Amino acid sequence: MDRLTRKELKSDRFALEVQHSVEYVSGHRQQLVRWGGIAVAVVVVVVGVFIYLSHERTVRQAALHAAMQIQNANVGPTQNEFVLSFPTPAERQKAVVKAFSELAAKYSGSDEGTIAEYMLGTNAADQGNLAEAEKFLKRVVDSGNASYGSLAKLSLASIYAGEGKQAEGEKLIQSLIDHPTVVVSKELATISLAELIAHSDPARARKLLEPLRGSPRPNVSKAALSALSDLPQK
């Protein structure tokens, strides 16, 4: 039966469909009772799965929140029981790696697991372990998650540039310019490319940034102006 919200549904056709439905129910009562029971069972299963998945997601998000709290914990003497802190940066880093590693392993394939791998990659880069950073960031790129993958591409591009593989970095960012995401816009990718080539090709970098300095989006124009000011003087 056509949905009642469709404009082309006419009253006479609706009446005819109702008549057919009544006749069908009269002739197939036993089958409908049986199928109706099956339908109810299916609905119960679907609702149960939804509740389970919602619970699982809540658990994953709680684990991610706990790991992020460690990431953002203070270093130094404990101030009070409500503020997480570690005696030294090394101990905090050890706890960060442990928390995100466990999260990535336990919830592999989920958004939270992908975020954990991204955090492991960026933390490794901050520690100067570029090989480890590249390993995790590549996993994020290959995860199929466009949003987190786009962030990983930006980080990978910087790592490649630091390793003297600037052409590979440019290729990654160009893919973001060609295929932006909700997280990494075309403008952000363009500014990132300009920053990547600022010293090797300042003229090209300026050409990329100039159209963005007058962007109606304040964050874009501000970032473009900041990148322009960092370019080598002619």
Side-chain angles (χ1 to χ4, degrees):
M1 185 186 300
D2 290 344
R3 292 179 60 188
L4 297 181
T5 52
R6 291 180 56 184
K7 293 183 179 179
E8 64 271 21
L9 182 62
K10 297 181 181 179
S11 58
D12 57 344
R13 181 175 179 181
F14 176 58
L16 183 61
E17 292 288 355
V18 170
Q19 180 183 348
H20 287 171
S21 297
V22 171
E23 292 172 353
Y24 182 85
V25 170
S26 298
H28 300 78
R29 184 177 303 277
Q30 289 185 341
Q31 293 93 325
L32 286 174
V33 169
R34 182 172 70 251
W35 295 342
I38 294 173
V40 170
V42 170
V43 169
V44 171
V45 171
V46 169
V47 171
V49 170
F50 177 78
I51 293 173
Y52 172 76
L53 292 177
S54 296
H55 171 70
E56 285 294 295
R57 185 177 183 186
T58 300
V59 172
R60 295 196 306 269
Q61 289 178 339
L64 177 60
H65 177 68
M68 293 301 294
Q69 283 188 311
I70 297 174
Q71 172 79 34
N72 298 319
N74 293 330
V75 173
T78 302
Q79 298 177 357
N80 57 65
E81 60 181 314
F82 302 107
V83 178
L84 183 63
S85 61
F86 292 88
T88 65
E91 290 190 35
R92 181 179 64 180
Q93 179 63 19
K94 182 179 179 180
V96 165
V97 171
K98 181 176 183 294
F100 283 121
S101 295
E102 291 176 351
L103 183 59
K106 188 172 183 179
Y107 301 116
S108 176
S110 68
D111 285 352
E112 293 77 12
T114 302
I115 294 172
E117 292 199 313
Y118 174 77
M119 295 302 298
L120 286 168
T122 55
N123 269 285
D126 288 341
Q127 298 300 310
N129 190 343
L130 300 187
E132 190 76 358
E134 187 174 337
K135 179 185 73 174
F136 284 113
L137 293 172
K138 279 184 174 179
R139 287 183 187 175
V140 177
V141 171
D142 295 337
S143 70
N145 189 308
S147 295
Y148 305 128
S150 61
L151 286 174
K153 283 184 178 182
L154 285 182
S155 299
L156 264 178
S158 297
I159 290 174
Y160 286 153
E163 294 175 333
K165 299 183 290 187
Q166 183 165 308
E168 292 184 41
E170 289 185 40
K171 185 178 180 180
L172 276 179
I173 299 181
Q174 186 61 53
S175 71
L176 294 174
I177 294 175
D178 296 336
H179 304 285
T181 67
V182 174
V183 177
V184 180
S185 66
K186 182 177 181 178
E187 292 83 1
L188 173 58
T190 300
I191 292 171
S192 298
L193 179 57
E195 291 175 336
L196 191 72
I197 65 173
H199 294 285
S200 62
D201 194 349
R204 181 185 168 205
R206 187 176 300 277
K207 187 176 180 180
L208 289 170
L209 294 169
E210 284 292 349
L212 298 177
R213 64 185 302 169
S215 172
R217 296 167 58 187
N219 59 330
V220 172
S221 60
K222 184 177 179 180
L225 288 169
S226 176
L228 279 167
S229 67
D230 290 338
L231 290 177
Q233 298 298 315
K234 294 181 180 179

